């Protein structure tokens, strides 16, 4: 039983990272109708920014908000520069653009920071608590707490503020939004900015655990895709729930299914995607509509 | 008296085909203008030209200023409300969220009254108050039409364009919608342009009518004159 809780805790801890990235994917998907393959790499850039600032002597808690602000600006810029000019492009073309961004950003990070793994020191220290035999680290608790905070703030922003209402409206019905005086283009760009901030938080919080190198977010992105598919693309609640489920499921599968303990653990997200597509293509929280990938 | 809205030689294309050809029009402050004509005559394009959804040649002036260079969202913030064909419902938002969106277009000076205006709208359309927490997509066609009108009115437009408000509605609901439109003119000091295929209803509501045919203005005048016109009699009002 102790083992079970141990796996549950580590599954939840990484699950919040998946949830964050899945939420970022979902926000962009709702607005642009496209899966942003570069979402993980944008988060990698943010994590490296945090590393650069902290190794130059800045305390983490000063660097973190700066990283979030820069990530927001970069997210908006990516939309304005690479997505906006393709306003009338098909989803396939947009998908190609995000794939190109994925490769491009990955190469730039590798070129400027090198491929040797670096360490982002955990801002939460290295305490370990033992609760009824289950090990819990301060990094796990701290990262989860920060990510819960970010997810809640994003939820409030979308559901309770007028700017959030505008972004949702612009994503849902651009023509009608324009007739109500909403500048649709800027609302979609804001969505990219918010997605970048959530991704930055996820990447920066995960970095002390998963290590800092250009490909660090690749596997996370894969699992975030699975999480978004499970929750329903475009559903923010679904993305978060999906992330937690995928995190826990992978962790438990690694413990209890011998075959899935090693590299084969990567099968779990694909199995989830397959099952979801077969039995509930719109995901747990999605509305039935054409699924565009 | 200078017109609230004035169009001169307005031309618009739909693909390669001209949808409006050299159309001149005027809308006076406080009036209701009916835009009549068969399908494809250019009624919708005329409204979309005014709200800047489509690009046009020629000149359009609103309250004395040229608006041809404005985008649709800028035109909305200047005070041009538009209830589009198909009602433009935000189906996944609640009724109240739909209405809150309406208030966003209003000018700064009107912001303070937004809450009072929402109550006034709920009095005008009690069904919307009752269903305020529902998903807008779950409303009936008539209710969505009322929602669309209410949403546009909450922007406190100086000029409100309505595209086929009677489309797909039963006669009882059509009467209700048209009765609300004349109340909106009185109580919200708004000028209305109503594109309609339901000629009888439109002529009863409006002060003046503009008849379109293949992208041109065929006839314009006070409603009783237009109603007496032999061509209108034959095509629309004959028994």
């Amino acid at each position: 039983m102790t083992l079970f809780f141990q796996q549950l805790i580590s599954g939840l801890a990484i699950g919040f990272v998946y949830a964050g990235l899945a939420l970022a994917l979902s926000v962009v998907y709702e607005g642009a109708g496209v899966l942003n393959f570069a979402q993980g790499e944008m988060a990698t850039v943010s994590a490296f920014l945090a590393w650069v600032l902290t190794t130059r002597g800045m305390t983490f808690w000063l660097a973190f908000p700066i990283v979030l602000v820069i990530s927001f600006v970069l997210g908006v810029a990516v939309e304005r520069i690479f997505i906006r000019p393709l306003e009338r492009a098909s989803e396939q073309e947009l998908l190609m653009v995000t794939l190109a961004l994925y490769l491009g950003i990955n190469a730039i990070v590798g070129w400027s920071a090198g491929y040797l793994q670096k360490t982002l020191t955990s801002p939460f220290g290295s305490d370990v608590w033992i609760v009824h035999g289950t090990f819990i680290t301060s990094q796990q608790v701290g990262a989860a707490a920060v990510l819960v905070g970010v997810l809640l703030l994003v939820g409030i922003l979308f559901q309770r503020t007028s700017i959030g209402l505008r972004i949702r409206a612009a994503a849902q019905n651009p023509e009608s939004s324009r007739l109500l005086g909403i500048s649709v283009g800027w609302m979609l760009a804001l969505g990219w900015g918010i997605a970048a901030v959530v991704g930055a938080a996820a990447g920066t919080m995960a970095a002390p655990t998963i290590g800092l190198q250009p490909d660090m977010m690749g596997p996370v992105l894969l699992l975030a895709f699975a999480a978004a598919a499970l929750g329903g693309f475009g559903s923010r609640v679904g993305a978060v729930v999906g992330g937690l489920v995928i995190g826990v499921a992978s962790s438990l599968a690694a413990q209890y299914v011998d075959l899935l303990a090693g590299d084969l653990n990567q099968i779990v997200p694909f199995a989830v995607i397959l099952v979801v597509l077969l039995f509930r293509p719109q995901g747990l929280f999605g509305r039935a509509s054409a699924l565009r990938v | 008296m200078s017109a609230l809205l004035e169009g001169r030689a307005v031309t618009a294309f739909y693909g390669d085909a001209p949808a409006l050809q050299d159309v001149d029009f005027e809308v006076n402050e406080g009036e209701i203008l009916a835009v009549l004509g068969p399908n494809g005559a250019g009624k919708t394009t005329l409204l979309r030209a005014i709200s800047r959804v489509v690009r046009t040649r020629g000149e359009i002036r609103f309250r004395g200023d040229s608006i041809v260079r404005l985008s649709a969202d800028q035109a909305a913030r200047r005070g041009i409300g538009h209830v589009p064909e198909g009602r433009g419902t935000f189906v996944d938002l609640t009724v109240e969220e739909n209405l809150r969106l309406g208030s966003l277009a209003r000018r700064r000076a009107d912001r303070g009254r937004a809450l009072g205006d929402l109550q006034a709208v709920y009095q005008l359309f009690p069904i919307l108050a009752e269903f305020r927490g529902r998903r807008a997509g779950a409303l009936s066609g008539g209710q969505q039409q009322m929602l669309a009108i209410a949403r546009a009115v909450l922007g406190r437009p100086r000029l409100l364009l309505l595209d086929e408000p009677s489309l797909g509605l039963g006669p009882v609901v059509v009467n209700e919608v048209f009765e609300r439109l004349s109340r909106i003119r009185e109580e919200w000091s708004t000028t209305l342009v109503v594109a309609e295929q339901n000629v009888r209803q439109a002529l009863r509501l409006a002060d003046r009518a503009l008849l379109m045919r293949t992208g041109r203005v065929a006839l314009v005048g006070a409603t009783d004159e237009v109603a007496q016109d032999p061509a209108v009699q034959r095509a629309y009002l004959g028994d």
Side-chain angles (χ1 to χ4, degrees), chain A residues 30 158-163 165-184 287, chain B residues 51 53 72-74 76-77 80-82 84 87-93 97-98 100-102 104-105 135 151-152:
Chain A
E30 200 188 7
F158 274 103
Q159 295 303 131
R160 295 269 175 265
T161 69
S162 119
I163 199 80
L165 181 61
R166 274 178 235 226
I167 297 174
R168 284 189 289 150
Q172 238 182 66
N173 194 335
E175 295 83 24
S176 199
S177 297
R178 283 191 192 95
L179 295 179
L180 299 176
I182 296 170
S183 18
V184 171
R287 219 170 277 292
Chain B
S51 63
V53 175
D73 53 293
Q74 288 169 329
R77 293 197 293 270
I80 298 178
H82 187 161
R87 302 158 193 148
T89 308
F90 297 88
V91 292
D92 285 336
L93 302 184
E97 284 173 332
N98 267 268
R100 269 170 58 206
L101 281 171
L104 296 177
R135 205 174 74 88
R151 192 173 56 223

Side-chain angles (χ1 to χ4, degrees), chain B residues 133-154:
Chain B
R134 282 203 195 178
R135 205 174 74 88
L139 299 185
S140 73
Q143 290 159 357
Q144 287 193 32
Q145 188 63 57
M146 292 176 195
L147 177 62
I149 294 169
R151 192 173 56 223
V153 164
L154 280 172

Side-chain angles (χ1 to χ4, degrees), chain A residues 196-216:
Chain A
V197 168
V198 182
T204 312
M205 287 297 127
T209 313
I210 65 177
L212 201 63
Q213 43 96 10
D215 296 321
M216 61 184 266

